[in-house]
Amino acid sequence: MIRSIPNPPMEREDIERFHKNIETHLRGPRNAVEKKAFETQRAEMLANANKIIANSGGRNPLLGN
């Protein structure tokens, strides 16, 4: 479980990185390079999920199905 820290120590760079990450998440990839990286990462995630499900007899162990 992640503990909640009411006022974590942050620097200006941490806040700028957070804003950049949230903007990218909400708007999606902006250019061809970011879009390609996003598609590659998504393909890897789906391949890993399918391997886990295949190794579990077709059941998703995380959902208990």
Side-chain angles (χ1 to χ4, degrees):
M1 182 173 174
I2 300 173
R3 295 181 183 163
S4 175
I5 301 172
N7 292 315
M10 284 192 253
E11 295 181 7
R12 188 78 174 149
E13 294 83 20
D14 296 328
I15 296 168
E16 290 173 359
R17 186 173 59 244
F18 171 78
H19 286 162
K20 182 180 177 190
N21 287 339
I22 199 74
E23 181 182 353
T24 301
H25 177 74
L26 293 176
R27 294 180 187 232
R30 293 187 197 146
N31 58 34
V33 174
E34 289 178 352
K35 186 175 182 179
K36 181 68 175 170
F38 179 77
E39 290 173 355
T40 303
Q41 182 181 14
R42 182 167 172 80
E44 289 176 9
M45 286 187 333
L46 290 174
N48 288 334
N50 289 333
K51 284 180 190 176
I52 291 170
I53 291 172
N55 289 336
S56 300
R59 298 177 59 137
N60 187 334
L62 300 175
L63 299 177
N65 297 350

